Amino acid sequence: MHKNLLIIMKILKSNDKIFEEMYVKYFPKMVRFATEYLMSKHDAENVVQDLFVDLWVRHRETLVQVNKPASFLFKSLKNRSIDCHRNNVRARERHFTVSNAELELKMEALQAFDTNLFDELDVEEALEQAIARLPERCREVYIMSRSEGMKNEEIAEKLGISVNTVKNHLSAATTRLKADLKDYLTMILFIL
């Protein structure tokens, strides 16, 4: 049985700790996603918070039928973001404070977002595979920088190479990963 489905089943048994773990896992990712389209972190946090409260209070029983919780959560978030965006467009139209053209582009992008393509495990697996396909030294430098959070100078010292060589490896890794993961780029932003 899918790990996330087990989490949802435990939620149905009123296990506050499991619901909290799910909230902690998805809240930041969902806020980043909503912020991109709503252009307001405050609005995004409110929408995501309201979604989790609504799920907990009114819809816990429907979660048991969900076999892809990430897709379910992001589809719910997409719909709530559209509603919030529409309300924002109406308010801003009255006050003429933001370019309607930009808001409409964001709205079209949000409506076109296909939640069926989103499966967090697939995206993470694709990212891991793409990193594994990098040349050995390039992969080593990329992991030290991105996963371990080391600075270029620290990597250079540890590997006995120049800082410019570190930068070149990072640039090459980024270019290769963008090419390999072009179909996943939007989703990777919300998983990392």
Side-chain angles (χ1 to χ4, degrees), residues 5 8-9 11-12 51 54-69 72-73 76:
L5 183 57
I8 288 175
M9 291 175 76
I11 290 170
L12 294 175
L51 171 68
D54 191 46
L55 287 174
W56 181 250
V57 173
R58 295 192 294 183
H59 299 291
R60 285 188 300 152
E61 62 279 353
T62 61
L63 290 176
V64 76
Q65 300 166 3
V66 176
N67 56 1
K68 289 188 175 183
F72 174 79
L73 287 171
S76 299

Side-chain angles (χ1 to χ4, degrees), residues 51-157:
L51 171 68
F52 274 103
V53 169
D54 191 46
L55 287 174
W56 181 250
V57 173
R58 295 192 294 183
H59 299 291
R60 285 188 300 152
E61 62 279 353
T62 61
L63 290 176
V64 76
Q65 300 166 3
V66 176
N67 56 1
K68 289 188 175 183
S71 295
F72 174 79
L73 287 171
F74 276 90
K75 183 175 183 176
S76 299
L77 178 59
K78 171 187 168 180
N79 293 333
R80 285 174 183 254
S81 294
I82 288 171
D83 291 342
C84 181
H85 188 72
R86 284 184 180 136
N87 291 336
N88 287 346
V89 168
R90 287 184 197 113
R92 288 178 177 136
E93 283 177 351
R94 286 187 293 254
H95 301 320
F96 304 109
T97 58
V98 175
S99 164
N100 285 336
E102 183 181 359
L103 290 173
E104 289 306 318
L105 285 174
K106 293 287 187 179
M107 176 64 118
E108 288 174 19
L110 184 57
Q111 288 174 327
F113 179 77
D114 186 359
T115 55
N116 293 324
L117 297 177
F118 181 78
D119 185 347
E120 185 175 348
L121 296 175
D122 290 344
V123 176
E124 288 176 350
E125 184 177 311
L127 178 60
E128 288 174 11
Q129 289 174 359
I131 292 170
R133 286 192 299 270
L134 291 172
E136 183 178 348
R137 181 65 86 174
C138 189
R139 179 178 58 246
E140 186 178 14
V141 169
Y142 182 83
I143 290 171
M144 291 172 120
S145 173
R146 301 301 191 259
S147 297
E148 297 172 18
M150 293 175 69
K151 293 182 168 92
N152 291 353
E153 294 78 13
E154 295 171 324
I155 297 169
E157 184 178 324

Side-chain angles (χ1 to χ4, degrees), residues 23 27 30-32 34-35 38 40-54 76-77 80-81 84 88:
Y23 178 85
F27 184 84
M30 294 171 74
V31 168
R32 283 192 303 271
T35 300
L38 297 176
S40 164
K41 187 169 184 179
H42 177 74
D43 285 349
E45 288 173 342
N46 285 337
V47 167
V48 175
Q49 184 72 35
D50 290 346
L51 171 68
F52 274 103
V53 169
D54 191 46
S76 299
L77 178 59
R80 285 174 183 254
S81 294
C84 181
N88 287 346

